[in-house]
Amino acid sequence: MQARQNVDAVAKRGLRGDRYFEERGLWNFLDEDPDREVQEASDITFIEAEALAAVERDAGIEIPTGAHRRNVTTQNVPLNHLVGQTFTVGDAICEGIQLCEPCGYMQSLVGEEELSKALVHRGGLDANVVKSGPIAIDDEVRW
């Protein structure tokens, strides 16, 4: 994971330069497993800065920058309310697909057994990019 000042969101692909955009992500390889239960694929993932702060405050678990494995960190945006909604970030138009519940992979990267439990229902949002456009730090999320 690398922090960026701006990035291009590409419809039906995700964020230019992301491992999934380049088809090098972990789930790209697991999708080849016919016995694996497949989640609905998303182009981009979001997480609330407030959720990360709450996990640290309530569970005493500090999640290092990028270890949450979400593409975009928001502030003052109720992401759970955006499931099924169309919204914009910068010039990109996105559609909220489903809650991005925490996974064992993220938990293993952080090394905290209680992380998944602490992030239940506040692990972020899976979304698809409907219309391409640039996204930059401090861009508003509008819905």
Side-chain angles (χ1 to χ4, degrees), residues 12-82:
K12 300 182 182 182
R13 288 286 309 271
L15 300 179
R16 189 176 308 283
D18 180 72
R19 64 197 183 282
Y20 290 100
F21 187 95
E22 305 293 337
E23 298 183 355
R24 293 181 290 120
L26 174 67
W27 300 115
N28 293 109
F29 300 108
L30 293 177
D31 284 342
E32 297 171 4
D33 180 355
D35 296 326
R36 188 175 89 80
E37 185 176 322
V38 178
Q39 289 182 250
E40 187 168 352
S42 64
D43 298 332
I44 185 171
T45 55
F46 296 83
I47 193 163
E48 298 172 17
E50 296 85 353
L52 299 172
V55 167
E56 186 171 355
R57 180 190 67 237
D58 299 346
I61 299 171
E62 183 179 341
I63 303 172
T65 303
H68 50 69
R69 313 301 293 166
R70 306 300 184 254
N71 301 117
V72 176
T73 302
T74 65
Q75 192 165 10
N76 300 319
V77 179
L79 293 175
N80 288 15
H81 298 189
L82 296 180

